[in-house]
Amino acid sequence: MGMEFKSLTCTSVYAKLKKLAVEAFDLTGVDALAKSDRLGRYASRSSLLNYHYATQRVDDKVLDLLQILADELELVSQFKAMRRGAVINRVDGYKSEDRQVLHTACRDIFAESAVAPEAVAAAKSELEKLQQFLEEINSGVLTGSAGQRFDTMIHVGIGGSDLGPRAMYEGLKVYGQNGRNVHFISNLDPDDAAAVLKKVDLATTLVAIVSKSGTTLETLTNEKIVGMAFEKAGLRAKDHCISITGEGSPMDNPQNYLRSFHMFDYIGGRFSSTSMVGGVVLSFYLGLDAFLEFLRGAATIDQLAEKTDIRENIPLLMAVLGIWNHNFLGYATLAVLPYSQALSRFPAHLQQCDMESNGKSVLRSGKPVEVRTGPLVWGEPGTNGQHAFYQLLHQGTEIVPVEFIGFKASQYGEDLSVDGSTSQEKLLANLYAQMVAMAIGQRSENPNKNFPGNRPSSLVLAEKLTPEVMGALLALYESKIVFQGFAWNINSFDQEGVQLGKVLADRFLTAMGDTGCSAMTLENKFLNQLYS
Ligand code: G6Q
């Protein structure tokens, strides 16, 4: 695939959409929701989840133009090319990572003929290694250095090597196998490791050290802390630690670990939840079958993402509606609000996946962008958020488009009917009420009680948060982010901003000299550095 991509402003519909944005659909109109057929028509359904967008400020005219936009920018053919191994992680004419983007291959393991056969074969071979490893653990062939069976895993990693797996684990915590425990250590703050190490019995603990580069300061430091803890407990760290790292990285040394798994250079950290980065911890906890269901859910959405009709392709629709809100209506941020306690870490994962991918200012040609790229992404589970920042969503001067996520059934199924409704029903009622309140608002003579409304939102709704649905939800957002990056004509797959932080921290450490000095001396040295 050549690197000549059209930009948003060069499409035949850009000016038309700009014009329509001035008088975009008004959600406060009396007939806007209840009396119109919008609720029925502005819904896109798929086997695992449905997407409701009647409360977005669009009408058929805008949707038709957004379809043309998607077609002219060749969003779906770029997605197809990505899945088939095109080298798209690059900026033309400049030094860049210059590689394929193939996180989708990790789950393209169910189709009869895979679209990227080599990458899929590699993913399958890692899965086989994982299966073997799990069998050895389950049967007790593999034990800790004191001969005790493993029942706990500590996942050590940061950024893309932590956020996705942690969010997925939280999302699926209810489905854990009996007796299995999982903990995460990511922060350089020594208290993070100390708090986890206090909780576990090291004799039965496996530690998964996860770092694609094998050079990340936080992870290597935490690996050492954990290693020391094993030594102190009279256990051999090597018999308890496994590595998940890039091929050829400094950590890619099987002699130092009980077992090693690979993540490939064509899988970005923030897109790595379906690779061994998420695979090891999730399948240790959930069992391999549940992890495969998770992959199956993601694969279902990857296939859906190849449809050209925006009204059928949910990730594409979410992407173009996001662009409508951000680039045409001018809304700067996006809130993702799951009405599910299990998804409490999902917004944090999306924050990284979206903002690290699309927080860019140069085009794939190396020239500066002409329109705004990725929005600020943030969120918290409802209804907790309702009692906190929703005030601003309803009456603040910032208009924040919202992506709600909801489920018809709870995960545990343990619920109580109080005053004629269950908690799950109350939860959903709250979600719907928020959507309607944001859209319609409330007129009042008292300005303090006036709600302007016309604030857009949409809803991803599924039956229940199962492993398959979790995989679908993950892939939905991954693909949405990828589509938006294509639309902005940026390289969504590098992360120079993160690299800079890593390099600068190293420089600071070297300049500060001995690391054994007190916090006070460190502070003084820091100030000297800053002002020197
Ligand atoms: C993700 C980013 C970044 C990365 C971390 C950890 O896409 O590149 O968040 O995942 O910096 O890097 P390592 O996996 O190399 O330790």
Side-chain angles (χ1 to χ4, degrees), residues 158-161 211-214 216 268-270 352 356 495 498 502:
I158 194 164
S161 294
S211 175
K212 180 175 171 181
S213 63
T216 302
R270 55 197 174 274
Q352 165 178 48
E356 197 167 305
Q495 53 284 315
V498 177
K502 292 185 181 181

Side-chain angles (χ1 to χ4, degrees), residues 97 157-163 210-219 244 263 268-272 352 356 493-495 498-499 502:
E97 292 186 341
I158 194 164
S161 294
D162 166 71
L163 286 159
V210 190
S211 175
K212 180 175 171 181
S213 63
T215 58
T216 302
L217 173 74
E218 290 88 339
T219 304
I244 297 133
M263 63 184 294
R270 55 197 174 274
F271 292 98
S272 65
Q352 165 178 48
E356 197 167 305
F493 308 105
D494 63 4
Q495 53 284 315
V498 177
Q499 310 298 68
K502 292 185 181 181

